[in-house]
Every structure is written in C-alpha cells, then in structure tokens.
Amino acid sequence: MTGYRWDFASVFGNWQILAQGLVGTFQLAALSLGAGLLLGLLVGAGRYSRNRLLHWPATAYVEVFRNTPVLVQIMWFFFAFPIVAPFQVSAYIAAALALSLNTGAFAAEIFRAGIQSIARDQWDAARALGMSYPQQLRRVILPQAVKRMLPAFTNRGLELLKMTSLASAIAFPELLYAARTIATVHFNPIEAYTSVALIYLAIAWPLTQLVYAVERTLRRQE
Amino acid sequence: MEYQWDFTVVWRNSHLLLWGLLGTLKVTAAALALGLPLGLTVALMRLSRARAVSLAAGVFVEFFRSTPPLVQLFWCFFALPILIGVRVDSFQAAVMTLSIQSSAFFAEVFRGGIVSVERGQWEAARALGMTYRQLLRRVVLPQAVKRMIPAFLERAIELMKTTTLVATVAYADLLFEASDIAQKTFRPLEVFTAAAAIYFVVIFAASRVVQVSERRLARSGESTAH
C-alpha cells in the first residue's frame, strides 16, 4: 500500500479516448432504452392478450431474456448470431440487439404489472363510454399506469447504463473499453479503472437519487 | 446456403460444460456465503444512530450499487494486486468483487426487512430487558428474515447471472468454457446456444422457487419486503 505514486495525469492526458468511450456508452444506452421500451410496450400488451398466438410467444420471449445472463446474450449475438444472420453483425449491433431485447423483456413485465395495477372499474367505465380497446388503453389506463411505473423504469435505465460496460467484452469502444485501452498502453490500471469507476458513479448517482425522489413523490400522492 | 446444425459438438464437450457449470455454482456459493453476513453488517451500520457509521455504510451501498460490476471486477483483478503487492487470482478477484457487490444489495434487503418490523415489537423486547443484540437476534431478525426470503432469492439469482462476468478474467465458469469450446470447434452457434439453454434451465428453475415462496408467504399473511 505504501509508496505507490498515484498518477492520474496519465489517464486524463488521454481524455479523447475517455470522451469517445463515454459517447459510445451513451449511444448504446440511449438506443437500447428507446428500442427496449417500445418493444416492452408491444410485448407487454401481447402478454396481456387473450389470444394464444400472441400470448405464448410474448411469454416465451420474456422468460428467455429474463432468465439468462445478459453477458451470455451479448456473446450469443456477437459470436453465434452472425452465422445465421443475413447481414454483417458489428460489436455495436450485437450489443445493441442484446441490450434492447433484454431491456424489452424487463420493460414488458413493468408495463404488464403497471397495467394490471389499474382497477377493473377504470376499464369498465371507459368501455361504458364506448371507447375501443386501444382508446381505453391510451386515454384511460396508460396515463395512470405510466406514473406508477416511473420508479421501475428509472431503475431499469440505471441497470442498462451499468450493463453497457459488458459490451467491452466484445471490444465495443465504450467507457470501460477506453479504460482498458489506456491501461494497456500506459501501464496504469489503478488510475484508469479508478477513473472510470468514478465517472460511472458521477452519472449513475444522480439517477439513483432521482429514483428515490420519484418514489417519495408518488408515495405522497397516492 | 442453408446452415448445417451440428449439436454433437455440444454432446462431445458436455463434460467441459458441466465443469464450467460447477465453476459458476462455486463462485455463486462463495459470494453468497460472504455477501450475506457482510450485507447484514452493512444494514445494521446503516441503521446505527451514530451518524458517521450510518453515513459510511450509505456511501458504501450507493457506490457499489451505482458502478458496473465489471468495472469493480477489473479493478480487483488488474489494479488491486499492484496496489497491495499481492497476487490475486481470477477466483479470488471474482469472489471478492461479487461478495462485496451483492452485499450492497443484500444490505438494502436486510434494512427493508428490519424496518418493516413494527415499532411495538422493538418496544416490547426492550421492555423485557433485552439488549440491542438480543432484541435483534430473538425478536426482530426472525420476523424480518421470513419476509425477506423472496427478495433474497431474487438477489441470489441476480448474483448467479452476474457470475458470468468472471469469464472476462479467464475464470473457468460455464460461459468461459463455452467460449473456449466454440473457438476450438468453430461451432459458436451450437455451443453458445447450448450454454444459454443450461443457464436458462438453472435460473428458470430458481425463479419458480422464488414465485412459490412468494405465494406461500402471501398466504401466511406476510407481505414481502422489497
């Protein structure tokens, strides 16, 4: 412990690599969050459906992606999927596919739980007003449900941000991969990994505080 | 061109995959065995009336919940050995990282469970002249732990999923063995699919157990602490 000379200059001298990595992290997180939420809404509605042809595939998808490790999903899309895929699969595409599908499966459960938490009478009242199913969902149920789902979604966003670091395992240039690059070239793993840990903390910590704040506000309102 | 599937590769290397699964279970068990007591300690520190103690525990929890576990693992594997001048192998780094990381989550489960025990129980125990330790061990924890069981099992499953990260530091878990076999046989599609299937079977079975335990507790009138 004694005698080690910390040298953070060698890390921040390479701030371009870190900045590039940060951009990669945000890109991957934003794309996967957007695609995952959309997919989650569709699949969540599918799982809620009485039609077996919709219900079964939706359930199978959710169970598979929730019950396998996300790193296995990423590796599968990078090493196995290209063999059957009709297109080129880059590290970015593989990571985005895995993380979107993973987020979609968790989001589907959040949507389902949120929609189920709305009292039966709300549906009945909307139907009594002559609304169609999509109208009931869009005008009456979702506006109430989404509010309740907010903490769970923010939490998913946080998990997703942390999960993007796994893309470094398939050499996608995100933040952790940037640290790896710097550590390999400059022999400074202590400073490089400490720095990115602090950068992740700086991004994620406000997010966790946001989750707490949203939870507190909702509890006061309900 | 139609791809020719050949799952015999998986069959021929099944002993390696099982060996990997054993490695996965070993890391999970070790991290659980260390993470649970550490989590309880941190939870009690967080509930402490001494501000410095509860603040330190709070920072610990927030730090390990807010940073990616893979970053923590790389830090333990690549940075820590230089800092302390001791060799750390991949198993030690994996167990260290995962037990500390999961303890931050376990601490929150413990805290939720302990806080959920009604004030009256604490007061009654104290009125009987119990010390803080006795009160925790005899009255509060037995009730709290029962409510926490589903949340604990859920965290244990998350922990098992997280153990796949140790493959990146070359610890021979299931995922690492699968990558290795895929590289040697040029059959990544079959091998990775099989590995995913093995993970699915184990984790899906564990999730069912969680659901059953949740239903049982709901029937016995205990709500679950999340």
Side-chain angles (χ1 to χ4, degrees), chain A residues 70-179:
Chain A
V70 65
L71 186 57
V72 174
Q73 293 160 15
I74 291 175
M75 300 280 246
W76 193 91
F77 276 103
F78 188 64
F79 291 113
F81 184 58
I83 294 172
V84 281
F87 51 87
Q88 279 279 323
V89 181
S90 64
Y92 182 55
I93 294 180
L97 270 172
L99 293 181
S100 306
L101 287 167
N102 183 278
T103 305
F106 280 93
E109 280 302 276
I110 300 174
F111 275 117
R112 192 172 71 112
I115 291 171
Q116 274 174 345
S117 79
I118 302 298
R120 204 68 242 159
D121 325 6
Q122 297 280 336
W123 292 92
D124 295 341
R127 204 170 304 132
L129 289 172
M131 289 189 198
S132 67
Y133 180 77
Q135 284 176 330
Q136 292 166 27
L137 207 58
R138 210 183 60 239
R139 296 196 191 156
V140 181
I141 305 301
L142 277 181
Q144 301 180 65
V146 163
K147 215 172 92 181
R148 291 185 192 176
M149 295 184 248
L150 227 49
F153 278 132
T154 326
N155 208 21
R156 253 358 277 177
L158 184 71
E159 284 301 314
L160 179 59
L161 178 74
K162 291 196 277 173
M163 279 195 286
T164 57
S165 67
L166 304 185
S168 69
I170 54 169
F172 173 70
E174 46 69 71
L175 192 52
L176 181 55
Y177 192 76

